[in-house]
Amino acid sequence: KWGNGASCVLYKDLVLVNAGNTGHAIVALNKSDGKEAWRVADAEFTDSWSTPIIAKVDGHDEMIIDMPGRILAYNPETGQELWWAKSPIEKTVCGSCVYDDGVVYAMGGRAGQAIAIKAGGKGDVSETHTLWQQPLRSGIGTPIVVNGNLYWSSTGTAFCADCKTGEYRF
């Protein structure tokens, strides 16, 4: 397809890589020697150019990444799955998740969908942690969070939505 385009993330002594498009996996490499520290493989890890993010949740770190149809959280030191949630962003994921005040926001996809999920938990948290889903025209960029608002640009236009509801501000 279009090849890999996600950025790597440095976490302690690891380099975290979304290798979904080229290897159907998320991989952690040791910074010192480049050897693989852990790997999470899944045939459905594809069509994601999302860069993993690190979030401090309830006193521990979580590596959070967006894949088509789901958002996943792993222990960044071991690759152990912590939680996951269904996502309305299907087929392709270009933008990365953003995290603010205990909430993960994901936007994008061809249909222009967005979701807010309370971080943390175990297993499938789709029903218990999803705060809202909205049809926001977000394209392929990654949003930013400032003062309770999501901001992003798509097709040459700047947009803003309320972080609490996902509704457009203007």
Side-chain angles (χ1 to χ4, degrees), residues 38-169:
W38 57 260
R39 170 183 292 262
V40 177
D42 187 325
E44 293 184 18
F45 286 175
T46 189
D47 295 327
S48 172
W49 291 265
S50 176
T51 297
I53 63 169
I54 303 295
K56 180 73 76 182
V57 181
D58 298 327
H60 68 276
D61 291 332
E62 296 186 357
M63 182 197 76
I64 301 169
I65 190 164
D66 197 2
M67 293 286 174
R70 56 192 166 150
I71 296 170
L72 306 135
Y74 295 94
N75 178 328
E77 294 184 38
T78 65
Q80 176 187 7
E81 184 179 278
L82 301 173
W83 59 267
W84 67 274
K86 294 175 188 170
S87 169
I89 305 165
E90 298 180 342
K91 297 185 182 172
T92 59
V93 175
C94 296
S96 300
C97 296
V98 291
Y99 177 78
D100 184 62
D101 198 25
V103 179
V104 177
Y105 302 93
M107 303 178 82
R110 293 184 180 167
Q113 294 294 314
I115 186 169
I117 299 170
K118 182 180 179 223
K122 292 188 185 263
D124 182 355
V125 299
S126 303
E127 297 297 320
T128 58
H129 287 52
T130 298
L131 302 174
W132 54 258
Q133 290 186 29
Q134 292 284 7
L136 301 177
R137 184 172 178 78
S138 52
I140 63 173
T142 297
I144 61 170
V145 176
V146 179
N147 297 327
N149 293 305
L150 282 166
Y151 294 93
W152 70 97
S153 173
S154 177
T155 62
T157 303
F159 295 92
C160 176
D162 184 313
C163 284
K164 296 219 181 294
T165 65
E167 295 174 356
Y168 283 111
R169 289 275 185 159

Side-chain angles (χ1 to χ4, degrees), residues 8-19 26-39 63 76-77:
C8 300
V9 172
L10 296 177
Y11 177 78
K12 296 184 179 180
D13 292 329
L14 298 173
V15 178
L16 307 175
V17 181
N18 173 2
I26 302 165
V27 181
L29 306 171
N30 291 312
K31 283 195 306 189
S32 59
D33 60 14
K35 291 185 180 174
E36 191 172 294
W38 57 260
R39 170 183 292 262
M63 182 197 76
E77 294 184 38

